[in-house]
Amino acid sequence: MSLTNKQIQQDYSADCQSILSAIQDTFNLVEEMEELGTNVCYPPSTSTLNVLQTAAGAQTKQSSQLSACMKHLGNLAKRVSNPISKVLVTGDVNSGKSSLVNALLNKDILPVDQQPCTSIFCQVYSYTNQNDSEDQVHAIMDVDHYEKANTDTYHTIEARHLYRTIVDQDIPYKMLNVYTARNDQLLKRESLLHNDIVDVVLIDSPGLNTDSVKTTSVFARQEEIDVVVFVVSAENHFTLSGKEFLMNVAQEKKHIFIVVNRFDSIRDQERCKRLILQQIELVSPATFAQTEELVHFVSVAQRADSAAFTRLEQSLRSFVLCNRSLSKLTPAKTYLHNVLQDVNFIAVFNEDNAREQLNTVVNELESTFLPDMNNLVETAGFVQNSLEQLTQNALESIERTTFNLVKETTSDVALNKCIESVTYPGLRLAWQYAQDISDALASHLQSDLYRIEEQANQGTTECIDKMNHFVVEQLTKWNHTAVADAHNTHSTTPSTQHQRIHINVQARDFLLERRFVNNKKVALSCLGATGATVMFFKCISVKDMTLDFLHRYLNPLLDDPTANLPSRRIVANCVAAAGILSLGWTAYSFIAAVPLALRSNLKLKFQAAVENEKLQENTKHLITHGVQSILDSKNTAIASRIQQLIQEKQKEKQQLEDRVASAQSVLDQYNSLAFRSNALLVKIKASLHEN
Ligand SMILES: Nc1nc2c(ncn2[C@@H]2O[C@H](COP(=O)(O)OP(=O)(O)O)[C@@H](O)[C@H]2O)c(=O)[nH]1
Ligand SMILES: [Mg+2]
């Protein structure tokens, strides 16, 4: 190996390593994009994309496009590290492709014809270390499963039958692999095929026409094709098919090695050159820029001792060897450049979207949600305090009212009215009368207590209504359902078992006590009765004293015949009558005072019982307690609903925060993708410019 070749080899190895690592980095970026899956948005206009443009718009196609890209990158890596260099020779029918391959091989191995004859691709392996004594032809039906060592994967054809196989339109083969015998002629000099660096494989292809242009373009764009040699007939210039082919492969193969053949048959060669170069400038500007090395006007048929052909051979060898990175690595770099540009474009596009989404959700959280939530929390506190105050006020009012109403219902006026409603049935039924009064008082109290309770309940309901209205008014804007619930809640009033007061009638209740007498007539009667009674007893003692007096002082009179005996009897009888009268008056007075005494005594007794049994206090406590428990449970229910509202808000807040976090992480991802793809792109661009 010459020193130059060694240098080329070293440079190439370093270039290879850097491109392999760039391929790996690009692969990682595309893989990350694939992992982002449907989250990746593609720009509406895909004309800006190079490789991934078919993925735009159709979500289903995106992942397959990315997978295809990753597969392609994998193949590129394989290709870059593969020592075989494949050279595709293509061009119009009869332009001299097969002739050129034979010329490069320095051996007429492929059939040449004036009529179109090559119908399939023929790969000619002509390694310098080849030791076979005879040419071998493998006719392959399934290219993907072909293995040279496995005879089941191909048919062996004798070299002399090659022409027949190639021209046969009905052959079932997709590809012919031709392994040439050891060629000592070739080994004598340095040539394209004898270079010590790469194993060159020449591929002869069917002529381009409207049918084959697509197939050949696809073939040429394969990453394993390092160099495309385009043979154009000097007589025909570039045909439409030729131009279409060059346009198709321009993305992957910027530089095309152009052989303008049959130049011997051209009379005005300068004009021909000028016209063809004009065409090249249009169809492949990169090639035109290196016309000296890449465009050759030759006559393959007259190659022997042709300086032009020798220069072609040297240029092609340089193109493959010296500019190997151009032919082999540039397609890889170009592809990487295109992919990275796409990835960067998509990443930046999505980065902008992600930033917008992040801003939207942050704005939603900070400008709308959080103020609203703080407002709710504040309002909730205010509502709860206000409801407590409302409850407190209602309770105090009910307590006060209840206390006063009970007082009123046991007042003299109320009890007198109740007692007066009971008719006195006469002395004979005086005991029953007393019982009736006692019963009337008890039932009067019971019914009044229920009435009082009813009134308290009404106050409770009013308070609950106020509470409901207040809650609705304050919280409507946050949750209609909760508010509706609050509105529909009705209070249930417990029927309180009220304290019963029942007095027992006793004999002394029939007696009128002086201290209770406040009526003149009654006072006089009482006074009379008492006076009569006193007089009665006084008369008895006067009589005794009189008799004693008579006996002591009138005895002499009695004994005296002149004494007046009848007058003595009259005095005694008068005294007795006065006593009887006095007794009658006393009895009458007692009987007349019975109803009065009963009314007064029983009322006082009832009031005393009310006092003793703390009815006022007890009733107040009983009713207030019931009301309080209703209002407390109402407050608890409202508080729990408000708490629920706040919890729902907190859940929403958490969801929004999660959305912020995920939007931030998406933004970070695209940020990193955009940054790394850009850094790689800069590197690849610089290395492309070096070439
Ligand atoms: N005049 C002339 N004829 C050539 C030249 N090279 C090839 N031919 C002829 O052109 C015809 C087609 O050649 P071939 O190699 O089969 O063309 P292909 O169809 O592109 O493979 C054959 O008859 C060749 O003899 C050349 O340089 N000058
Ligand atoms: Mg041919």
Side-chain angles (χ1 to χ4, degrees), residues 92 94-99 112-114 261-262 264 299-301:
D92 290 325
N94 263 339
S95 56
K97 302 178 294 292
S98 303
S99 304
V112 170
D113 201 338
Q114 283 161 330
N261 192 27
R262 302 169 78 110
D264 57 299
S299 298
V300 172

Side-chain angles (χ1 to χ4, degrees), residues 92-99 110-113 115-119 166 204-207:
D92 290 325
V93 174
N94 263 339
S95 56
K97 302 178 294 292
S98 303
S99 304
L110 296 176
V112 170
D113 201 338
Q115 300 170 61
C117 69
T118 315
S119 56
I166 284 175
D204 187 19
S205 54

Side-chain angles (χ1 to χ4, degrees), residues 518-529:
N518 54 4
N519 182 302
K520 252 185 189 173
K521 197 176 149 193
V522 172
L524 280 174
S525 304
C526 289
L527 200 67

